[in-house]
Every structure is written in C-alpha cells, then in structure tokens.
Amino acid sequence: VFAEVTAAVTDVLGEPTQRIPGDAPEVRWRGERSTVSVHRYSVIVDIALTENAYLDEQDEIVSRGL
C-alpha cells in the first residue's frame, strides 16, 4: 500500500523532494509553505499535509535524539 500511495502522489506532484528510509519510511514533497508526506508505520500508511515550519521543528527535535 505504501508503494501504491507513493506512486499515486508522485503522479500528481512529481518526484519527491525527500525520501527517509528505515523501519518507518517516509516520502516527502515539500512546497513553498507546506509538505505532503506519505509515512508507513507497521500496519498503517499515513498521508499528511504539514506546515513547513512545524515539520522543520520536528525534524530538528528528531535529529537531536529528543
């Protein structure tokens, strides 16, 4: 399902701007003010639209291991 959703969003928005591999992979399409993301958890695929400022804050927190 993750691959199918990623392909569908890619058809609409073009190539992703970021791919985050791992146990819970995520693919992102960053726009001017917000980012569309597809994230796979163990049994859930989540599609989100997030304001870039918030996403940048969350990425900083994760990068610090907090």
Side-chain angles (χ1 to χ4, degrees):
V1 173
F2 176 76
E4 292 173 0
V5 171
T6 298
V9 176
T10 299
D11 286 346
V12 174
L13 298 180
E15 285 301 310
T17 55
Q18 186 176 18
R19 293 178 186 268
I20 304 169
D23 291 336
E26 182 177 2
V27 181
R28 295 178 179 176
W29 293 261
R30 188 177 180 104
E32 187 176 316
R33 296 176 57 198
S34 59
T35 297
V36 173
S37 62
V38 178
H39 195 147
R40 182 183 59 83
Y41 300 98
S42 60
V43 296
I44 297 170
V45 173
D46 180 54
I47 302 170
L49 176 63
T50 309
E51 185 177 86
N52 287 342
Y54 177 81
L55 189 58
D56 293 343
E57 286 178 23
Q58 295 305 306
D59 286 346
E60 178 67 23
I61 290 168
V62 169
S63 73
R64 292 182 179 196
L66 302 176

